[in-house]
Amino acid sequence: DVAQKATEGFKTQYDRAEKALEDANRLLYLSVAQSLEAKAETMDDKELAGLLSMQGYLFHTKYDGKKYDPYVFRGLYSALTKLSGLNYNAIKVPGGLKNKMFALAVSGTSSTFYTTGNDGFIIKGDYAKLSSESESIGSNPFPNRVLALSKDEEYLINGSDSSFIQIYNLTTKAKPVIVTGHKGFVNDIKFLPDQTGFISASSDKTLRLTNHKTGQSKLLVSVPYNLKSIDISADGKLLVGASLTGDLILVDLSNKNAVTVLAHESPNRILSVAFHPTKPLIAYGTELLNEKGIPFKGTVKLYDLVFQKQVKELGGHKAGVSDIKFSPDGLLLASAGLDKRMHMWVVDHEEDLPILMDNNNGQVWDMAFSAGSDFLLTSCNNGEIRVWPTNPSMLAEQVCPKLPRNMTEEEWKIYVANGISYENTCASLLIKDF
């Protein structure tokens, strides 16, 4: 019995030691993976950059690294830009480089998107094919500011520098229905979740409710602020509005009662706001001003509706946060900046470094997730739409087909590690002899 107990004790200690060794080995490989991604980002040789980023991804995946890791994303994306060019994920929209794409609406059932900007044309495109159509859906002789697509995707709503709203029937392709009522230009438009109509916010400090099928519009509520951005909760009970005076307002859509929940951002401005799809959480983007009133950076802040207070602040932008969105699955939070940068955080792990997307050729005005949360689209200056896969695996799938070879054993010793057994990074490729 004594010998048996001693044997069991030794077995327990052995198992613990083996588990500790496995954990240490896992952390080692994850560290090597991050190192490879960092090397890939600074590597001039595009083939080596691709191989290092891919090998880092393979180690990261094999040893259970986080799905959304900023090092892995940056390494893979930078390698792809070297292999395919800086504009490989860009869609050029008809209208020229001077066209600022202010608004974006993405289909919930296909890879179709709609965009519009300061040239007044509304363009349809396909983000899976990285293409846009040359023929416009509609046009105005003045800039358009905002688009909204109905859930059944039969109606596209356009708001512009003018005070009226246009309703495009995408099925009949008839002339747009003109909706009047606002006395200032329209800042934002959101459909109600039950699709009975849409709510528009205007510089005239009003919110209007419009039936998109009939064009009938009525005043919903007057508010004390010019709301730059609005969003509606998933249950359709609340509307949140963000003002350029730094105020955040909540409107109960059942009784039209409006309450200011945040009034301490002034002189800073709030440019964007969004509800989380399932949690009692609001995200909003700010533009911070210095003592001379000049913008110098932007932040993302989270407001808890249950405790009625700000709970987190996320920095990193060097200019105002022009748009902010939660992914449809609620796992990701993305922010677009007037500093040409986009950040993406994992909800519940905002303390981690954000995934950075910073090679947009101009300021980012609007963005939208695809229905499956697998893609993030942005509308930018220079008549450009950018398409970003959110899942690193989708980036990794594109690397090996663009490579002519695997690493040599000598390269493996130099860039990976001398003590880690050599393997073919891309199984479909043969090692090239030098």
Side-chain angles (χ1 to χ4, degrees), residues 302-322:
L302 301 179
Y303 183 87
D304 191 305
L305 285 169
V306 175
F307 296 100
Q308 298 184 357
K309 65 177 183 178
Q310 178 192 315
V311 289
K312 286 183 181 177
E313 180 174 340
L314 308 171
H317 283 289
K318 299 179 181 179
V321 178
S322 54

Side-chain angles (χ1 to χ4, degrees), residues 251-280:
V251 179
D252 187 324
L253 295 177
S254 61
N255 59 21
K256 316 299 186 294
N257 185 37
V259 178
T260 300
V261 294
L262 197 67
H264 65 270
E265 291 290 341
S266 182
N268 301 322
R269 304 191 288 185
I270 303 179
L271 305 182
S272 51
V273 68
F275 275 108
H276 190 279
T278 59
K279 297 180 179 182

Side-chain angles (χ1 to χ4, degrees), residues 53-118:
S53 69
M54 192 63 194
Q55 190 60 51
Y57 168 78
L58 293 175
F59 284 156
H60 187 82
T61 304
K62 181 178 180 180
Y63 291 94
D64 299 322
K66 293 179 180 178
K67 178 180 179 181
Y68 300 106
D69 183 278
Y71 291 96
V72 174
F73 190 96
R74 289 285 297 176
L76 289 169
Y77 182 74
S78 64
L80 280 171
T81 59
K82 292 167 186 173
L83 289 165
S84 306
L86 286 172
N87 295 320
Y88 92 95
N89 65 335
I91 302 173
K92 290 297 182 182
V93 177
L97 296 178
K98 295 182 179 180
N99 195 10
K100 297 179 180 179
M101 309 314 300
F102 287 136
L104 187 65
V106 177
S107 166
T109 59
S110 69
S111 54
T112 298
F113 72 87
Y114 301 89
T115 186
T116 191
N118 65 338

Side-chain angles (χ1 to χ4, degrees), residues 94-96 99-101 116-122 139-144:
N99 195 10
K100 297 179 180 179
M101 309 314 300
T116 191
N118 65 338
D119 68 353
F121 287 92
I122 302 172
S139 63
N140 288 312
F142 38 76
N144 295 328

Side-chain angles (χ1 to χ4, degrees), residues 354-368:
I355 290 171
L356 176 63
M357 310 168 186
D358 62 351
N359 74 322
N360 303 288
N361 288 331
Q363 295 171 318
V364 184
W365 298 100
D366 197 7
M367 63 181 176

